Amino acid sequence: MGRIYAIYKKELGSFFYSSIAYVFLVLFILIPNIMFFYFFGGIFKEDLASMRRFFMMLPFVFIVFIPGLTMGSWAKEKNSGTIELLFTFPVSDFEVLIGKFLASLTIVATALVSTLFIPLLTHIMLGSFDWGQIFSQYFGALLLACSYIAITFFISSLTMELIDAFLLSASILLLLTVIGYLPSVTQFPAWLDWVKYTFINTSLSTHFSNFSKGVIDSRDVLYYAGVTLVFFYLNLRSLESRKWG
């Protein structure tokens, strides 16, 4: 745990030293909240004390913000040549991965916590929130963030260029998000029902819909945990391949 904490502290410090964390937090506070209050049928148009619209658009917000935050997790290390130095320390690949992951998740969690002013403010203006629903929504958002970060980490481990890591990660996350909406806008013949259900069950956004409504379903929790673990495994195999290279 001490080695993981050392990596975690180093990565967290690098986010703030390079100002990435500050830019991420400011933009995350401003852009989604402006959209929530004033666009897409914002909260004032609904006249309802609910954050459901905010969390419904969160998967799409994460598509840009999380790759922007984590695209350099491995690509930057490889580009600058520090990855070999990093692995000369007495730490395993897994410990480095977990330390980096927790540092990125800390930034995202801080950004999410910063949005708590919304229910507090609207509690005064529109009425009381269902705080049980709020807990479910934020819990789901953290699980969603874990899977997005794990995917972006894996993509970053495959390239040396930050822009490549960002574009590839954002494209894959967009694909895995929007495929859940295809069955509702596309007519599938009966013999392709299996494709429709595959799209629905593999979509990152589909499994988040229950959380956005304030419902915690164990199947959705297991899905996000599974996605995170699968991409952790792929990330470790990618890092291992450098030894063979």
Side-chain angles (χ1 to χ4, degrees):
M1 289 301 295
R3 291 190 293 267
I4 292 176
Y5 179 70
I7 296 294
Y8 166 80
K9 189 165 66 170
K10 169 188 170 295
E11 290 298 315
L12 196 60
S14 69
F15 279 130
F16 287 98
Y17 180 76
S18 65
S19 77
I20 292 175
Y22 301 108
V23 173
F24 176 86
L25 292 171
V26 170
L27 292 179
F28 190 89
I29 292 170
L30 290 178
I31 295 175
N33 292 326
I34 290 172
M35 292 168 64
F36 174 63
F37 277 102
Y38 297 107
F39 299 98
F40 308 114
I43 192 170
F44 293 123
K45 295 180 182 179
E46 279 195 329
D47 195 31
L48 179 66
S50 171
M51 289 188 68
R52 184 174 173 182
R53 287 186 179 273
F54 176 86
F55 285 99
M56 285 176 64
M57 69 182 181
L58 196 61
F60 296 96
V61 172
F62 276 174
I63 287 172
V64 176
F65 278 85
I66 288 184
L69 176 70
T70 61
M71 60 185 175
S73 54
W74 300 114
K76 186 177 179 181
E77 300 271 14
K78 292 166 74 175
N79 199 335
S80 62
T82 57
I83 189 167
E84 297 303 330
L85 176 62
L86 178 64
F87 286 109
T88 59
F89 298 136
V91 291
S92 67
D93 293 1
F94 178 75
E95 289 170 333
V96 176
L97 174 59
I98 293 298
K100 283 176 171 286
F101 175 82
L102 292 176
S104 298
L105 186 60
T106 297
I107 301 296
V108 176
T110 302
L112 287 170
V113 168
S114 71
T115 65
L116 280 172
F117 81 90
I118 298 175
L120 295 174
L121 176 63
T122 50
H123 173 79
I124 299 172
M125 303 178 65
L126 297 176
S128 180
F129 270 88
D130 179 348
W131 290 100
Q133 184 182 71
I134 292 292
F135 171 80
S136 301
Q137 290 168 333
Y138 277 92
F139 176 64
L142 282 176
L143 291 177
L144 181 71
C146 286
S147 61
Y148 275 51
I149 293 170
I151 292 170
T152 307
F153 268 35
F154 170 62
I155 301 302
S156 181
S157 72
L158 301 177
T159 180
M160 295 178 61
E161 300 298 331
L162 296 182
I163 188 63
D164 291 345
F166 175 81
L167 293 176
L168 285 171
S169 299
S171 299
I172 290 172
L173 291 177
L174 178 62
L175 176 64
L176 291 175
T177 299
V178 300
I179 58 173
Y181 295 97
L182 289 179
S184 62
V185 297
T186 305
Q187 187 67 37
F188 285 83
W191 62 277
L192 283 180
D193 273 352
W194 66 273
V195 175
K196 178 174 70 175
Y197 291 119
T198 299
F199 284 168
I200 291 172
N201 291 322
T202 57
S203 171
L204 291 165
S205 58
T206 299
H207 289 274
F208 189 65
S209 61
N210 282 331
F211 289 111
S212 68
K213 299 171 188 173
V215 177
I216 297 178
D217 189 318
S218 59
R219 292 171 296 182
D220 299 323
V221 174
L222 289 173
Y223 167 80
Y224 286 122
V227 169
T228 302
L229 290 174
V230 165
F231 280 93
F232 268 13
Y233 174 80
L234 294 174
N235 199 335
L236 289 172
R237 298 289 74 78
S238 175
L239 293 174
E240 207 173 69
S241 69
R242 83 189 190 280
K243 299 172 183 176
W244 296 98

